[in-house]
Amino acid sequence: MDLKDKQEVVKNSRFLDSFKFAFKGVLTVFQEERNMRSHIVIGSIVLVLCLFLNLAVNEWLWVIFSISLVIIMEVWNTVIENVVDLAAGERYHPLAKKAKDMAAAAVLMTAGFSVVVAAIIILPKLWQKLF
């Protein structure tokens, strides 16, 4: 590990460094995780669709909340997978698999929540527009 890498491991000494590293994390998860890109695309499509459905403020809040929650859970899933892989190395361990499966389950459950929100808020409005 060279000096630059060691500096990145140390606690952020400047406030703006926190933002720099956070944005680097966002970029990394977007570049490296196919599922994150899928969540972003689907969430964007839903947001564009909602622009045409005249949502109330509280409906917008639920839609944005559910999309954000899926994205946040995908980031945490990626964090857990990376930490487990780092700890396990090349060895297989049933607890490593269990942790990774549960992290993926959290994303799946959150995505399910988002589908329920969409079914309650978006589908009736879409139905009215189409028929």
Side-chain angles (χ1 to χ4, degrees):
M1 183 182 292
D2 65 7
L3 182 59
K4 183 179 181 233
D5 291 335
K6 286 182 183 178
Q7 288 174 340
E8 289 188 24
V9 174
V10 177
K11 183 94 172 133
N12 302 332
S13 60
R14 294 186 312 203
F15 182 71
L16 290 178
D17 285 344
S18 298
F19 284 101
K20 181 177 86 175
F21 294 130
F23 286 118
K24 188 174 183 179
V26 170
L27 184 61
T28 300
V29 76
F30 187 78
Q31 288 174 335
E32 296 181 5
E33 296 298 320
R34 181 187 73 244
N35 288 342
M36 177 58 87
R37 291 189 298 274
S38 298
H39 294 310
I40 296 291
V41 168
I42 292 167
S44 298
I45 291 169
V46 168
L47 289 174
V48 169
L49 175 64
C50 287
L51 288 172
F52 298 103
L53 295 178
N54 300 322
L55 299 185
V57 172
N58 64 331
E59 293 170 326
W60 271 109
L61 290 172
W62 278 105
V63 169
I64 292 168
F65 174 74
S66 62
I67 291 169
S68 298
L69 197 56
V70 170
I71 291 168
I72 291 165
M73 290 306 295
E74 186 63 46
V75 171
W76 275 111
N77 178 47
T78 302
V79 168
I80 291 168
E81 287 179 347
N82 283 310
V83 170
V84 167
D85 288 346
L86 178 65
E90 296 295 319
R91 300 169 290 137
Y92 171 81
H93 195 285
L95 288 177
K97 180 183 181 339
K98 190 186 260 189
K100 290 170 79 170
D101 288 350
M102 286 189 273
V107 177
L108 179 64
M109 292 166 65
T110 307
F113 168 76
S114 291
V115 169
V116 170
V117 169
I120 293 169
I121 294 174
I122 297 171
L123 283 182
K125 291 184 180 291
L126 190 59
W127 185 262
Q128 287 176 346
K129 288 266 188 198
L130 295 176
F131 301 104

